[in-house]
Structure formats: structure tokens, C-alpha cells
Amino acid sequence: MLGLGADRLRADMNRLLAFLFHQGILDEQYLQLQQLQDESSPNFVSEVVNIYFHESEKLLRNLRSLLMDREFSDYKKMGIHLNQFMGSSSSIGAKRVRNVCVAFRAASEQNNRAGCLRALELLEHEYCFLKNKLHELFQIEQQRVLAAGVRYPMQN
Amino acid sequence: MTVERAISEPKDQFPVGMRVLAVDDDPTCLLLLETLLRRCQYNVTTTSQAITALKLLRENKNKFDLVISDVHMPDMDGFKLLEHVGLEMDLPVIMLSANGDTKLVMKGITHGACDYLLKPVRIEELQNIWQHVVRRKKFDRKDGDNSGSQDKPHIDNGGAAGMGSVDQNGKLNKKRKDQNEDEDEEHDENGHDNEDPSTQKKPRVVWSVELHRKFVAAVNQLGIDKAVPKKILELMNVEKLTRENVASHLQKYRLYLKRISCVANQQANMAAALGSADSTYLRMGPLNGLGNFHTLAGSDQLHNAALRSFPPSGVLGRLNTPAGLGVRGLPSPGMIQLGHVQNSGNTSNDQSKLQSFVIPGNHNANTLQGMPMSLELDQLQNNKGVSHIGELPTAANTTVFPVSGSLMDARISGCSNNPLLGVTSNSLMLEGSSQQTTLHPSNLRDSVSTMGFQNGNTLSDFTSIATASNQLQCSKADLQCQASPTSCNAGQIIRSAPPEWNAPYHSNVMCCSINSSIPVNGAMVPLGQCLDQNNPNFHRNMDLDSIAPSNFVDPKSLKRSEGFNSAMEPAVIQKEGYFQPRPQGGYNVGSLEDLASAMMKEGPDTRKLADGDFGCNGYSHRTCI
């Protein structure tokens, strides 16, 4: 029974992953992350992704506070935040988030505040979505590991 | 044979165990980079600060083989780091950036990077970076030592082949042999090498400040055009320095000068506008490769000249240097003995570096004093997690993120102070680029001091502004030209992926609402506002997308997303409330067409926002639906 649970969870996980890839939310870079995970770094993916979440939320807060400022004029600073966001998003394979960053950067290069604001909204949405999906993924993975782990002693 | 193998150095297993220093302020990328490098079996050291990196490199010159550094870092520009590493340590440096802009890549190359990688970095790219180390070693050993004239025709890798083609025939054999020494693990070769290490592995020459100063003095004495390595060597009269060392250093120095003079030409007008400092300024250029400040020693006039003759970007750029290296290089903040440093015979690395970069004289101490203060303040803020100074975002905004965090970090407080700095520097940049003669030396100095004194401003501001103003000066037109294609691309990205956008948008909204209902509402409000304000724009973009209105209607996509069900309805309806309310289940072609027709009646004022909004509007309108 427990074995079945683990398999079912794995199927769930794969389905979710397939969905995320299909929708372009994640790309192959995420696979690279998974490949880097092994016995010597068993939690690598969740580690990196958690750091990414932490940093991204800081960046998004910064971006929003920049844009909300009435006398906002420092597009360069915004560009720097964006650049970092873009770099980290592409590094973990968050394709859609990164694409929004590209549009955001375009707006900021033209000093288009309204466009930046809109892009920020979109960015927040995309990020929110990604975060939820990845949390879901990790949860399933955790459950799967638990289920699979309990299984092995029984085999002996 | 076994004995020889046992005593062989670890470098014989090269590239395994190659010692890499990785620098990136983004922790996500740094962790990823570290893991990738370890996977390639390199020996990795990481740091998130350029200053720390320089310190590590200076501590022990032979500790690393290669440096990989991000371009955009808060404490020091990646290009600056690149320059310093190149001049002081002669290590190969690879630049890393999320921005693959041609201009940046070019900048990397002119500053001496041996490669420029784009994020996300793939492991395949990292597996070949050892070639840069080997290549550099070869160029350093240009002497005519003929011990390695064995015939080893077979070359292992592509990197080696490139090198072979560059050098003369006579050295080809030696190169192949060396490569085999590096790459192959044949015992007899290794044995041979170990017997005669002095000819194969020459200790790398370290170009310390002293040495470099002598070098520059010799070059100046001979005249930059007539400076030949042999004569320079004679003039320098340093033991154990070979002509080849001097030659390669001269090559680098010439590149540096070329780069400086290119910038100097642009700034020459500025200098002329500012006063009589022209000749002094231009003379200062060649005098010191490491930094123009060095030649200002002991001259009050010159300090003025320094500030005067460096246009805003130059000042800011140079300020960044002492700020980055001189001040931060000090072991503790608050060491303001800038006046002492120049005269001290201190041979510690930090101090000697400080000597090169710090503007001597009490006048300048003020400017630079401001920096450590702000540095301390910055550190204080970082440590205490000071909450923001300035406007708080509205409650609606903070609730967008389910993660609680009303504590803003120091960056935000830095940001709030930014407008002042931004305005100041913007005005400087604007004036600089338009080369107005009204910019007085005193104004410049005052502005600089003001910037220096602003508390809470991180040095990252200087960096960013320096970079920004450099970019602005050199490529203002280009930047604008780039912006439009970028936005067009963004628009294309949006357009080319319409089917994919649908379902996620539903679930997008829904998922946010899962965490709490607030995010959706919170986000909606600004959206609503932006919609109201920008409705004409909105309509305008609808036109672009009305080409494929059917993309929006995709009820199948809803079914595809399992598990996303009831919560979606209210969210969708909420969003659609901006249009005519419709039954849930998809976008309405009807409402799109309404908008499209409404858009036809758009006013002329929307047009001006068209290009800029192109990409963003496309995104936003989808979100709103």
C-alpha cells in the first residue's frame, strides 16, 4: 500500500512538472537543477529555490517601493534590481517570470513608469503563481520520499 | 614510475582541481554556480562581494587559477574588479551576466575578460573554462627556452589547437609538450617535467604597485611609442624580471591606455569646458596605469583638476574606485587616515593599493570621508534591519505577498534616499553629456561632496550611477535604439505565446487567491487604477491582439488544469468585472470586440505611449482579463 502511495505521488509530481513545462512556466534549466541534485547534495533544488524565493521577494518589494515613490526617477536602480531578478529567474528555469522581466526592463529603459507599473503587477502575479506551484511540487516530493522511505524496510 | 606519479603535483590532473574563485552578489546564482563548478571537479571558493574577492586574491597570489565574476555587483563594478585582477594578479577572469547586451560584452573584452558567459550558465560551458588558464600560462612563457622541443604531435583538445595556431612554429612543439604535460597523464612525460620544473613552470610574476610604478616610469621615460620591453627592462633594473614578463605587461598596459584615451577623448571636451586643467588631465593619463589619482600626489591644484577634469561619469567612476578599494579595502571602517597613507612606507597590500587610488590632500579627505561614513551607516542598517525611511507602500501592496515581511531591508531605505542622489547625478549626467559650459568646478565638487555625505546611501548607488553614466555617455543613442527592439521583442514574446497564457492566468489568479483573498484584491486595485487611467492604451493593445481573439477563449484550458476549480470563478468574475460581466469559463470574444471597436476611437494622446507600452500593455491586458 505504501509502495502504491509513493508511485502515485511520483505520478502526481510528474504530471505537475509536465504541466509546468508545457505552460512555459519552467524550462530546461530546471532540469539542470534536478540533475545537480544527488546524494552529496540531496536537497539542492529546494535549497536553491528557497534562496530564490527569499531574494525575489526582496527584489519585488524593492521594485514596488521604487515605483510607488512619487518622485521616482531612478530607472537605473530599477534596472539593476530587474537584472538580478532576471538572472536568478533564468538560473532556476523560471521562464515566464524571466520573460516578464524582459518586458519590464524594456519599459524601464524607456522611462515608462506606467508600463513599469503594469509589468510589476504582472511580475508579481507570475511570481506568485510560480511559487505556489513549486511549493506544491516540493510537498509532493516530500511526501513521496517519506512514502518511499517507509517502504524500503518492509522489502527487507 | 609510481614514485614519480606520487610526487607529481595536483596540477597534473588539471583541469581537475583547478582553483576557481566565484563572485556573484546574487545568492541564487552563486549557489548554482558553485554547485556546477564542483560538478566539474574544480576547487571552488565563493564570495558574494567583490571586495572580499580582491582581498582573497591579494592575500595569496597563487591561490587561484581563475576568477568568475558577475558584472553587476553592488559594492564594485565587475569591470573594475576585472581590471584590478588583470593588472595585479594576471589571472584569467570570466564575466557573467544576465544581460547579454553587445555593448556590455564589448566592455568586458576591452577590460580584459577572457570570456563572457550569459546566465543561466550551463555546465557544458563551465567544463571548458580551464582553457583560459592554460592559454594564459602559455603566453606568459614566451621565453626561448628550448628544453621542450620534443615532438608530441597529438593535441587533446580544441582549446589547444587554437593556441597552437597563434604562436610561431618554433614554440609549437614546446606548447604541445606542455599541453601534454597538463592534460595527458602519461608517466614518462610527467616524470620528465618533474625533473625539470624550473623551465616548465615559471613562477608567475606579480605586478605589485611598486613594480608597476617603475614600469610606468620607464615607459614614460622612453616615450610610450618607443617603449620596447628590452629597454624598459633595463630601465627598471629589477631582478628576476624577464623581457617576456615586461612584454606581456606592456601589452596589457597599452590596451588599458587605449581604453582610457577613448574615454578621455570624450571627456576632453568636458575638461576644456571646465577650465584650464586640460594639459594636466591629459598628462595624468599616461602617468599611471593603475589610476590617475596617483599622479596627484602633493598637489593641491591637481586635486581640483582631478575633480574638475573628470566629468561626472569620470568622477563617479573614479570615486567608485577608492570607495570600492581604498576605503572598503581597509580592514575596518572609520579609518580615515587617508592623509597618512600616501606617506607611509607601509608595505601591506591594502595600504599600498590605497596609495594608488586615494586622492591625497586634505581637500579630498572630506569627499572620501563621507564614504566610509555612509559605509558604516550602510553596514549598520544592514545589521539592524532598519525599516524603511520614507514612504511606505500602501497596505494593498504589502499584502500581495503571502510571505509576511513588513521589515524592509536596507536596500529600500537606500532606495528612498535615492531620489536625491538620482536627481543630483541625473543632472550631472545630463549636463555632462550635453557639454554645457555652465558646469562650474565648484558645483561639481559640491555635488560630489554632497553625494559623498549623504547618509544611508550605499556605495552601490555610486556604482550603479557610474555604470549608468558611463553607459549614458558612451551609448546614449544606442540605449534608446535598443529599447525599441527590446520592447518589440517583448511584444513578440507575448504574441507568440497566446495559447499558453490562458490557463495559467486563470490559475494564476486563483492560486494567489488560495493563499489569501487579499492578494487578488490587493493586486486588483492597482490594476483597476491603471486600467482606468490607461484605458485608451489598453484598447490600443487590444487591437494588436484582436488578430487572434480566439486565443482567449479556451475553455479546454480550464479543464486541463486539474485541481483548479471553484476558487477560480469569483476571481475570474472579479477580473472580468472590468469589462461587462460574463459567465465564468473563459474570455469573451464579445468583450474583446467591444474593446477593439472602442479602441478605434482612441485619442491621439495614447499614441505617445504606444511603443513604450507595447510589451507591458500586452502583458497587463491579459492579466486583467
Side-chain angles (χ1 to χ4, degrees):
Chain A
M1 282 300 287
L2 287 169
L4 277 178
D7 287 340
R8 193 163 20 96
L9 284 170
R10 186 194 289 277
D12 281 345
M13 200 173 73
N14 288 337
R15 203 160 4 114
L16 181 52
L17 264 178
F19 166 74
L20 291 174
F21 281 113
H22 185 269
Q23 293 297 315
I25 293 154
L26 290 179
D27 64 12
E28 316 81 46
Q29 183 66 19
Y30 189 78
L31 290 177
Q32 282 237 347
L33 283 190
Q34 287 186 319
Q35 280 167 12
L36 284 174
Q37 180 162 302
D38 59 9
E39 303 78 31
S40 64
S41 48
N43 297 318
F44 175 67
V45 182
S46 61
E47 225 179 283
V48 175
V49 172
N50 281 327
I51 295 178
Y52 168 71
F53 286 153
H54 183 74
E55 289 296 310
S56 303
E57 272 147 38
K58 257 200 294 187
L59 286 170
L60 282 167
R61 274 200 297 270
N62 288 346
L63 285 169
R64 183 157 279 283
S65 73
L66 268 179
L67 277 174
M68 286 296 141
D69 184 358
R70 271 176 213 286
E71 295 123 20
F72 166 69
S73 59
D74 198 348
Y75 288 96
K76 283 301 169 187
K77 180 134 193 125
M78 199 160 66
I80 291 177
H81 289 319
L82 268 182
N83 197 316
Q84 184 176 339
F85 204 174
M86 214 159 45
S88 54
S89 303
S90 61
S91 294
I92 66 155
K95 185 159 88 164
R96 273 239 291 257
V97 171
R98 185 193 158 272
N99 288 344
V100 179
C101 286
V102 171
F104 197 154
R105 183 171 63 174
S108 93
E109 277 167 4
Q110 291 155 18
N111 292 2
N112 175 358
R113 185 172 171 180
C116 287
L117 215 42
R118 277 193 292 276
L120 179 62
E121 301 292 345
L122 187 60
L123 193 57
E124 287 164 348
H125 274 167
E126 286 293 341
Y127 170 77
C128 192
F129 179 63
L130 174 75
K131 179 169 177 171
N132 289 332
K133 289 292 114 204
L134 286 177
H135 272 158
E136 202 179 313
L137 203 60
F138 293 147
Q139 265 173 3
I140 302 178
E141 168 70 16
Q142 265 180 354
Q143 288 168 9
R144 188 191 66 79
V145 167
L146 276 176
V150 178
R151 182 186 178 200
Y152 290 137
M154 283 172 65
Q155 274 184 329
N156 292 339
Chain B
M1 289 232 197
T2 339
V3 174
E4 282 155 1
R5 178 100 81 125
I7 63 175
S8 66
E9 299 170 12
K11 273 196 178 176
D12 287 343
Q13 290 169 19
F14 189 90
V16 170
M18 184 175 78
R19 300 157 306 175
V20 182
L21 176 64
V23 190
D24 193 339
D25 64 315
D26 181 0
T28 316
C29 298
L30 191 61
L31 178 57
L32 180 61
L33 187 61
E34 181 184 354
T35 314
L36 282 170
L37 288 168
R38 283 196 212 279
R39 190 53 69 92
C40 296
Q41 296 182 288
Y42 300 139
N43 186 317
V44 189
T45 312
T46 62
T47 170
S48 62
Q49 296 213 315
I51 315 276
T52 318
L54 265 179
K55 207 162 33 148
L56 280 173
L57 286 165
R58 285 171 180 157
E59 264 170 24
N60 183 350
K61 307 277 179 168
N62 290 325
K63 207 164 154 197
F64 298 104
D65 296 311
L66 178 73
V67 180
I68 301 186
S69 166
D70 188 36
V71 165
H72 299 282
M73 287 188 290
D75 57 344
M76 187 195 300
D77 188 19
F79 296 119
K80 282 272 172 303
L81 176 65
L82 170 57
E83 257 182 59
H84 289 301
V85 174
L87 280 174
E88 292 174 31
M89 291 125 211
D90 192 26
L91 285 177
V93 181
I94 295 180
M95 304 304 293
L96 197 57
S97 178
N99 190 343
D101 191 34
T102 313
K103 227 158 290 299
L104 274 183
V105 178
M106 181 66 77
K107 198 171 173 193
I109 309 250
T110 52
H111 281 70
C114 51
D115 206 348
Y116 195 105
L117 298 179
L118 285 191
K119 292 182 185 174
V121 167
R122 295 191 324 273
I123 197 168
E124 297 86 20
E125 293 171 335
L126 292 177
Q127 273 162 348
N128 282 334
I129 56 176
W130 57 265
Q131 63 179 282
H132 301 293
V133 178
V134 183
R135 190 176 297 139
R136 200 165 274 240
K137 270 197 212 147
K138 301 311 174 193
F139 283 146
D140 275 352
R141 282 184 257 156
K142 276 186 194 160
D143 56 291
D145 96 45
N146 297 322
S147 63
S149 57
Q150 297 155 14
D151 261 40
K152 298 278 174 177
H154 111 272
I155 295 181
D156 268 333
N157 298 315
M163 254 183 299
S165 62
V166 173
D167 290 342
Q168 307 135 10
N169 260 347
K171 293 185 184 151
L172 201 56
N173 286 339
K174 175 178 180 299
K175 283 204 181 315
R176 287 174 175 163
K177 184 206 168 296
D178 287 338
Q179 253 144 34
N180 288 330
E181 148 214 338
D182 286 342
E183 298 154 11
D184 292 359
E185 295 189 339
E186 297 176 19
H187 304 318
D188 49 353
E189 284 183 29
N190 287 339
H192 178 87
D193 291 338
N194 287 332
E195 286 172 35
D196 196 4
S198 60
T199 50
Q200 302 310 325
K201 296 178 176 77
K202 198 170 281 197
R204 188 176 292 149
V205 169
V206 169
W207 282 90
S208 67
V209 181
E210 277 306 312
L211 207 55
H212 183 76
R213 209 159 357 123
K214 281 195 189 160
F215 170 82
V216 173
V219 168
N220 288 330
Q221 204 173 329
L222 291 168
I224 186 68
D225 292 327
K226 294 212 186 72
V228 223
K230 195 150 188 288
K231 291 195 185 148
I232 299 176
L233 189 61
E234 285 167 14
L235 276 176
M236 281 177 72
N237 193 18
V238 172
E239 284 186 2
K240 293 192 187 158
L241 197 64
T242 68
R243 193 199 69 83
E244 289 69 29
N245 299 132
V246 175
S248 66
H249 196 74
L250 181 64
Q251 193 179 30
K252 271 183 281 199
Y253 185 62
R254 283 216 175 103
L255 277 173
Y256 170 83
L257 288 180
K258 211 190 309 189
R259 191 168 16 91
I260 296 292
S261 71
C262 158
V263 176
N265 282 337
Q266 293 173 357
Q267 297 172 353
N269 285 339
M270 200 53 217
L274 285 178
S276 58
D278 272 350
S279 56
T280 352
Y281 170 70
L282 291 173
R283 187 165 52 84
M284 282 197 287
L287 286 181
N288 186 348
L290 278 177
N292 290 334
F293 296 153
H294 195 71
T295 62
L296 304 179
S299 163
D300 288 346
Q301 276 297 316
L302 276 178
H303 114 261
N304 272 332
L307 287 176
R308 255 186 296 156
S309 56
F310 289 129
S313 61
V315 171
L316 292 170
R318 293 293 178 261
L319 276 175
N320 181 51
T321 313
L325 289 174
V327 175
R328 284 191 185 242
L330 297 174
S332 65
M335 263 181 65
I336 324 248
Q337 312 99 344
L338 300 174
H340 300 310
V341 175
Q342 196 208 349
N343 301 325
S344 73
N346 207 323
T347 53
S348 76
N349 277 342
D350 283 347
Q351 296 255 340
S352 62
K353 293 296 166 263
L354 194 56
Q355 220 171 340
S356 331
F357 300 124
V358 168
I359 306 177
N362 290 330
H363 303 272
N364 294 326
N366 281 340
T367 309
L368 290 172
Q369 262 175 1
M371 293 199 197
M373 274 165 56
S374 62
L375 165 61
E376 288 176 75
L377 213 65
D378 182 43
Q379 287 177 348
L380 273 177
Q381 284 174 343
N382 279 327
N383 291 338
K384 292 183 186 168
V386 169
S387 58
H388 68 93
I389 303 169
E391 295 182 21
L392 249 182
T394 62
N397 294 325
T398 51
T399 55
V400 170
F401 299 106
V403 174
S404 73
S406 53
L407 245 195
M408 308 291 185
D409 61 4
R411 235 189 286 187
I412 292 187
S413 51
C415 290
S416 322
N417 280 332
N418 248 350
L420 179 56
L421 185 59
V423 168
T424 316
S425 63
N426 277 338
S427 63
L428 278 177
M429 288 192 292
L430 284 173
E431 290 178 4
S433 59
S434 57
Q435 298 177 358
Q436 291 171 12
T437 55
T438 54
L439 190 63
H440 293 299
S442 54
N443 281 350
L444 190 50
R445 187 156 26 112
D446 286 343
S447 318
V448 166
S449 321
T450 314
M451 285 193 281
F453 274 120
Q454 278 177 0
N455 291 333
N457 271 320
T458 62
L459 286 165
S460 63
D461 296 338
F462 286 110
T463 315
S464 60
I465 291 165
T467 327
S469 51
N470 276 333
Q471 283 181 356
L472 254 188
Q473 282 227 332
C474 296
S475 60
K476 193 162 189 186
D478 291 347
L479 206 58
Q480 286 171 355
C481 290
Q482 281 164 10
S484 14
T486 314
S487 61
C488 287
N489 285 338
Q492 278 162 13
I493 289 174
I494 305 163
R495 267 202 290 199
S496 63
E500 298 169 25
W501 285 105
N502 296 327
Y505 274 92
H506 295 290
S507 28
N508 203 354
V509 174
M510 181 278 313
C511 283
C512 285
S513 63
I514 278 183
N515 282 335
S516 74
S517 56
I518 301 176
V520 176
N521 291 333
M524 298 297 278
V525 170
L527 262 179
Q529 285 168 355
C530 96
L531 255 188
D532 291 339
Q533 291 163 6
N534 299 305
N535 244 340
N537 274 339
F538 204 86
H539 294 319
R540 175 166 169 70
N541 281 305
M542 296 301 267
D543 180 37
L544 299 162
D545 296 309
S546 66
I547 299 170
S550 59
N551 283 329
F552 292 104
V553 182
D554 194 0
K556 278 183 257 164
S557 69
L558 296 179
K559 292 179 194 128
R560 234 191 328 197
S561 31
E562 308 167 354
F564 308 134
N565 36 31
S566 54
M568 193 174 8
E569 295 177 41
V572 171
I573 290 178
Q574 247 179 345
K575 289 209 151 185
E576 290 191 9
Y578 286 108
F579 305 70
Q580 304 119 15
R582 296 284 185 128
Q584 56 87 18
Y587 298 160
N588 304 299
V589 182
S591 63
L592 272 182
E593 285 168 352
D594 290 343
L595 282 171
S597 56
M599 184 209 54
M600 296 305 173
K601 306 170 205 153
E602 66 178 334
D605 55 320
T606 60
R607 236 153 266 179
K608 66 177 185 298
L609 293 171
D611 284 345
D613 285 349
F614 182 64
C616 293
N617 276 343
Y619 277 104
S620 67
H621 101 79
R622 279 183 166 78
T623 314
C624 292
I625 295 177

